[in-house]
């Protein structure tokens, strides 16, 4: 019985996450989430008594956790921060070409649509971006960058990647991500 409840909740979150990516927060209705997840009508409000906003928070958290772990795993493959960050960006570019250019990125979509109208959603998106930046900062600290410089560069690297994703979606290809990867050696000169 417990497994079904968890499975139903997980299906709701995954379905909502996918729909937020494709249609945005405001373009996605609760009824559509319930129908596409094949969940009983009452299950959404059972698991998410605060409704769509709470479901979006869970969706962002799920995606953020996945992305943070992917960044961390990728950065751990190489000791050299330049090589590890470039490798991560190359992986992202490849993933973009195969999947993301069709599906989108839920954190950016939710952040852009809701940050002015929902403080809880703004905060969860902010926490996600802070976690991503921190992965880069930690990698640079391990490579003996000074703390302030590592923190600033962690922010800049994340900004470059996020901006490249936005332009990649607009242009329909991964070239902006590859340009960011090309700039990493100059950016990280000590």
């Amino acid at each position: 019985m417990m497994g079904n409840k968890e499975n139903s909740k997980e299906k709701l979150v995954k379905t909502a996450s996918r729909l937020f990516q494709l249609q945005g927060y405001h373009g996605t209705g609760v009824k559509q989430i319930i129908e596409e997840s094949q969940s009983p009508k009452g299950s959404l409000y059972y698991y998410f008594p605060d409704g769509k906003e709470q479901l979006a928070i869970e969706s962002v958290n799920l995606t953020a956790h996945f992305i943070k772990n992917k960044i961390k795993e990728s950065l751990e493959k190489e000791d050299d921060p330049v090589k590890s960050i470039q490798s991560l960006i190359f992986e992202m570019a490849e993933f973009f070409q195969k999947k993301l250019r069709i599906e989108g990125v839920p954190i950016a979509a939710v952040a852009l649509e809701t940050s002015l109208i929902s403080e809880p959603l703004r905060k969860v998106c902010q926490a996600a971006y802070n976690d991503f930046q921190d992965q880069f900062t930690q990698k640079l600290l391990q490579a003996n960058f000074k703390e302030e410089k590592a923190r600033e560069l962690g922010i800049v690297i994340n900004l470059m990647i996020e901006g490249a994703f936005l332009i990649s979606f607009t242009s329909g290809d991964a070239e902006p991500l590859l340009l960011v990867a090309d700039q990493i050696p100059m950016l990280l000169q000590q």
Side-chain angles (χ1 to χ4, degrees):
M1 189 81 157
M2 188 64 117
N4 288 341
K5 285 184 181 180
E6 289 174 351
N7 190 19
S8 184
K9 181 179 180 181
E10 188 176 296
K11 281 196 304 190
L12 283 165
V13 173
K14 286 182 177 179
T15 300
S17 181
R18 181 178 52 79
L19 291 172
F20 293 148
Q21 291 174 143
L22 293 172
Q23 304 170 174
Y25 179 79
H26 295 296
T28 301
V30 170
K31 183 179 176 194
Q32 184 184 15
I33 295 168
I34 291 168
E35 286 173 1
E36 291 202 22
S37 68
Q38 299 177 332
S39 298
K41 284 186 180 182
S43 64
L44 187 133
Y45 291 103
Y46 174 79
Y47 294 114
F48 307 101
D50 294 332
K52 185 170 142 181
E53 181 181 58
Q54 186 180 6
L55 182 55
I57 288 169
E58 285 287 324
S59 176
V60 169
N61 279 330
L62 177 75
T63 303
H65 181 73
F66 174 79
I67 293 170
K68 177 184 170 184
N69 286 339
K70 286 292 180 190
I71 292 170
K72 185 176 182 178
E73 284 173 21
S74 187
L75 293 180
E76 288 175 349
K77 291 177 185 174
E78 294 267 356
D79 288 336
D80 177 16
V82 170
K83 288 180 182 174
S84 69
I85 293 169
Q86 283 183 310
S87 177
L88 168 67
I89 296 169
F90 292 141
E91 287 175 27
M92 292 172 141
E94 186 177 329
F95 188 64
F96 173 84
Q97 286 297 103
K98 288 181 180 174
K99 193 169 183 179
L100 287 183
R101 98 182 142 152
I102 300 161
E103 294 184 4
V105 181
I107 296 173
V110 171
L112 289 170
E113 274 192 86
T114 65
S115 62
L116 296 176
I117 59 169
S118 171
E119 187 64 8
L121 277 168
R122 185 194 69 74
K123 285 183 176 180
V124 76
C125 291
Q126 178 185 19
Y129 287 126
N130 287 343
D131 282 347
F132 304 159
Q133 291 165 191
D134 190 54
Q135 296 304 308
F136 298 115
T137 299
Q138 293 307 314
K139 184 65 178 181
L140 297 173
L141 287 171
Q142 291 168 9
N144 297 317
F145 278 73
K146 290 190 173 25
E147 190 169 338
E148 184 66 18
K149 186 73 170 173
R151 189 187 64 74
E152 288 174 1
L153 287 170
I155 293 169
V156 169
I157 291 165
N158 194 58
L159 290 171
M160 290 169 63
I161 291 171
E162 288 295 323
F165 265 123
L166 179 62
I167 303 302
S168 289
F169 284 114
T170 304
S171 65
D173 67 51
E175 183 64 23
L177 286 163
L178 299 175
L179 290 172
V180 168
D182 288 344
Q183 299 306 310
I184 295 298
M186 272 196 312
L187 183 67
L188 297 185
Q189 287 179 351
Q190 290 200 58

